[in-house]
Amino acid sequence: MKNEEIRDIIAKNDDDKMSFYLSTLLSKCKDIEKENNFIALLMIILILLFYSTNFAQLESLQIGPLSVKDVNSVKVFIPLVFSFLIFRYILINNHKGEIERIIKNFTKEFFNYEDMKIDINTQIDDFTRTILPISNYAEISHLTTKGISKFGCFGSILILPLTLIVLIPFFLEYIWIKDYLNDFPKFNFFQKASIILSIWINIVSIYYIIHRAIISYKENV
């Protein structure tokens, strides 16, 4: 949806409808932020679980009522779960980006506020940021957009590693799947299916990112 279309919808509806809509969007943003944190926690647990089996030489694993006797046979399924978490993370954050763009247009039209120093398509102004739920990454990335700093581009350089962190899940998936492909003939049917599904989900995730980026570019040109 283009910015012009969003503003046209806002103009055609009364304040009560738009206030209800804004409340709904903000509620969804909060839910997405909670899920983001939950997904990040699950990813960390899976990474630790995957490598702990190597260093600790675990023969069995007890997780609450669940007992796993052959850890290595289950370990092959971790990339599948991890790839699904990546895909889910991409989906909900793309949806969150759409919501934030609508809210930015809402604050511009409803409150008659516009920060001319930023690009509404890629950045969030201070007024809109105070309405949205707190996001750790959004707050940190704000260091690169908050006017002219006496430290110059130091803020951008400082948070560059955080930007690169988003590539780590894909890098781990590549390493894990590559190792399993070398031993592919040794696995049973379900383990082979898990590896193939992991590859497929990662390809879909990458395609989705590229596809949404192209659509976003066309909408904002």
Side-chain angles (χ1 to χ4, degrees), residues 191-205:
Q191 292 171 327
K192 289 179 179 178
S194 174
I195 296 170
I196 293 173
L197 282 174
S198 300
I199 296 173
W200 176 71
I201 292 175
N202 280 293
I203 292 174
V204 173
S205 297

Side-chain angles (χ1 to χ4, degrees), residues 4 8 21 43 46 64 69 74 143 164 173 202 204 216 221:
E4 292 77 11
D8 184 56
Y21 185 57
M43 284 183 169
L46 288 175
K69 294 183 178 180
V74 178
L143 291 172
L164 298 177
E173 279 285 301
N202 280 293
V204 173
S216 179
V221 169

Side-chain angles (χ1 to χ4, degrees), residues 45-121:
I45 292 174
L46 288 175
I47 294 171
L48 293 175
L49 179 62
F50 187 91
Y51 288 106
S52 64
T53 58
N54 294 336
F55 294 111
Q57 297 297 319
L58 296 176
E59 296 181 358
S60 62
L61 183 66
Q62 184 77 30
I63 304 176
L66 180 64
S67 178
V68 180
K69 294 183 178 180
D70 188 356
V71 176
N72 288 323
S73 64
V74 178
K75 182 180 173 183
V76 71
F77 295 99
I78 291 180
L80 175 60
V81 179
F82 200 78
S83 63
F84 174 77
L85 292 176
I86 293 173
F87 185 52
R88 178 63 183 175
Y89 184 85
I90 293 171
L91 287 178
I92 64 176
N93 279 280
N94 176 76
H95 189 66
K96 181 183 176 184
E98 290 291 324
I99 291 174
E100 289 178 348
R101 191 157 64 92
I102 293 173
I103 294 176
K104 284 187 288 186
N105 281 281
F106 182 88
T107 55
K108 179 180 179 180
E109 298 297 318
F110 194 78
F111 296 102
N112 195 27
Y113 174 84
E114 183 176 9
D115 189 345
M116 301 302 295
K117 297 179 181 179
I118 68 168
D119 181 4
I120 192 174
N121 296 316

Side-chain angles (χ1 to χ4, degrees), residues 150-168:
K150 62 181 179 180
F151 297 108
C153 61
F154 181 71
S156 299
I157 297 174
L158 193 63
I159 70 168
L160 181 60
L162 292 176
T163 305
L164 298 177
I165 285 177
V166 299
L167 300 177
I168 291 179

